[in-house]
Amino acid sequence: MKDINEVPKNVHDRLEYIEFMLRFRGWVSRSDLTERFELGEAAATRDIRLYREHAEQNLALNQKTKKYEICENKFKPLFAFSIQRALSKLRTSKVAESLGLSEFNGVLNPPRLAYPDVDVLSSVTRAISSSRALKVTYKALVSGKSNKLLYPLAIFDNGIHWYLRAFDPSKKEYRSYVLTRFVSVEIDHDNPVKGEMKLSDHQWNRMVELELVPHPNKRNVRQPDTIAHDFNMEGGKLKLTVRAAVAGYWLRHWNVDCTEDHSLKGFHYQLWLCNHQTLYNVESRSLAPGLSEYQ
């Protein structure tokens, strides 16, 4: 019998789908494959037979419904499904419909309030890929609209906006720019991004470790064990390693109290940064809850 990882990619994907439906719905049928992959019934039957050859203990045919049902007590997955991939699949409309979730609009996510222009985004990624500068018109919150030359290095998402990390030669500094604030973007093909520019962005290249714990204020968090379980903490801590350039953005997105004396109040502050000294000389620290320079 051929190893599961040696079968053709299209067959591998269908076998993985069979297991996904078993694991997350509890049953699978030939029609799942014929409708999802536009297969004939004979091909769908072969795929189910092949899956059974590799994992016979995982499913059993219900003669009344003609559906293959999961054997919960014997089930051992053939495919390693990360929680990230599983959640991603649940968000797709076809999978949600197959699982019976579409009656309530599938798996709801908060809508994004702002999307970058697709032409702006594609120009930025092409410039990064080809190591070329950008001529842009940008609308800043404080200074308004201006024309800039930027050397693009990377992009990141803070959960609300997409950002461009770039070097601004006029200010001789590295900064993060909101992609939705670009009015126009043009690739400067005659102006390359040199390798040392990437190496010299110390805030991007510096990694900081964040140690998050349940918030000590009993009014914020009455049951710290619940928070520890909620975030899968080990020894009462959740340790994350992130880039210094984005640390403040993400701490704000997570509502982490970053004050030294855990003084922020409110039920939405469920986490506290217990190693607050890790943000020393971190450029984005002013965005972190409790450390904002805007009062």
Side-chain angles (χ1 to χ4, degrees):
M1 181 171 56
K2 186 178 290 187
D3 185 271
I4 197 74
N5 294 313
E6 295 178 358
V7 301
K9 177 68 166 58
N10 58 337
V11 178
H12 184 279
D13 290 345
R14 297 199 296 268
L15 296 180
E16 187 182 67
Y17 184 71
I18 289 171
E19 182 163 291
F20 180 86
M21 298 307 291
L22 278 173
R23 195 170 183 183
F24 288 87
R25 186 176 61 185
W27 58 269
V28 67
S29 67
R30 287 187 302 180
S31 61
D32 286 314
L33 297 172
T34 58
E35 294 172 9
R36 173 79 173 181
F37 299 98
E38 298 182 353
L39 296 176
E41 288 195 359
T45 299
R46 284 196 300 271
D47 285 341
I48 293 176
R49 184 187 304 124
L50 180 58
Y51 182 84
R52 293 185 72 186
E53 289 175 1
H54 285 85
E56 186 176 4
Q57 78 283 353
N58 285 356
L59 69 171
L61 177 63
N62 184 320
Q63 294 291 350
K64 291 183 179 180
T65 63
K66 301 302 181 184
K67 296 175 180 177
Y68 290 89
E69 300 175 350
I70 186 172
C71 298
E72 293 181 346
N73 296 330
K74 300 178 181 178
F75 184 87
K76 294 182 180 179
L78 287 178
F79 301 94
F81 246 104
S82 69
I83 185 60
Q84 292 84 356
R85 284 194 63 206
L87 291 174
S88 178
K89 280 185 173 292
L90 290 179
R91 291 189 183 103
T92 61
S93 58
K94 286 187 177 180
V95 171
E97 184 178 354
S98 297
L99 297 180
L101 299 174
S102 59
E103 182 180 353
F104 298 100
N105 299 316
V107 180
L108 287 179
N109 299 290
R112 293 199 74 113
L113 300 180
Y115 287 95
D117 181 87
V118 66
D119 292 326
V120 168
L121 178 61
S122 60
S123 294
V124 167
T125 56
R126 288 201 312 274
I128 293 173
S129 179
S130 59
S131 297
R132 291 295 180 269
L134 288 169
K135 295 177 181 177
V136 307
T137 301
Y138 186 77
K139 281 188 170 183
L141 282 177
V142 176
S143 58
K145 188 162 68 173
S146 62
N147 297 319
K148 295 178 178 291
L149 175 69
L150 297 177
Y151 291 92
L153 304 174
I155 57 176
F156 67 91
D157 176 18
N158 80 333
I160 298 176
H161 288 104
W162 284 81
Y163 286 78
L164 168 66
R165 185 71 180 175
F167 178 69
D168 183 344
S170 67
K171 296 183 178 180
K172 297 182 179 180
E173 64 182 5
Y174 294 89
R175 300 193 66 178
S176 300
Y177 298 88
V178 183
L179 285 183
T180 52
R181 295 177 189 164
F182 285 96
V183 177
S184 64
V185 175
E186 179 186 350
I187 300 175
D188 187 347
H189 291 283
D190 298 322
N191 202 342
V193 177
K194 298 178 181 179
E196 56 265 29
M197 288 182 179
K198 297 180 181 180
L199 296 175
S200 298
D201 187 354
H202 300 300
Q203 289 290 313
W204 184 264
N205 295 317
R206 176 185 169 189
M207 306 301 292
V208 296
E209 184 174 89
L210 309 176
E211 295 184 4
L212 310 182
V213 299
H215 201 285
N217 187 328
K218 293 299 183 181
R219 295 192 65 183
N220 290 14
V221 174
R222 294 183 180 180
Q223 299 293 334
D225 287 348
T226 300
I227 300 300
H229 181 272
D230 200 11
F231 292 95
N232 197 27
M233 294 180 177
E234 294 184 6
K237 287 184 180 180
L238 175 62
K239 295 183 178 181
L240 301 165
T241 301
V242 303
R243 296 187 183 276
V246 303
Y249 291 91
W250 291 351
L251 287 165
R252 182 173 64 174
H253 182 63
W254 300 328
N255 282 331
V256 177
D257 182 350
C258 298
T259 60
E260 184 175 351
D261 57 355
H262 44 78
S263 57
L264 295 185
K265 298 177 181 179
F267 71 91
H268 49 288
Y269 294 115
Q270 297 182 344
L271 298 170
W272 176 53
L273 180 68
C274 66
N275 65 330
H276 53 86
Q277 69 278 2
T278 196
L279 296 183
Y280 179 73
N281 276 345
V282 168
E283 170 193 283
S284 61
R285 74 187 304 275
S286 61
L287 297 169
L291 303 181
S292 174
E293 296 174 354
Y294 180 80
Q295 301 295 336

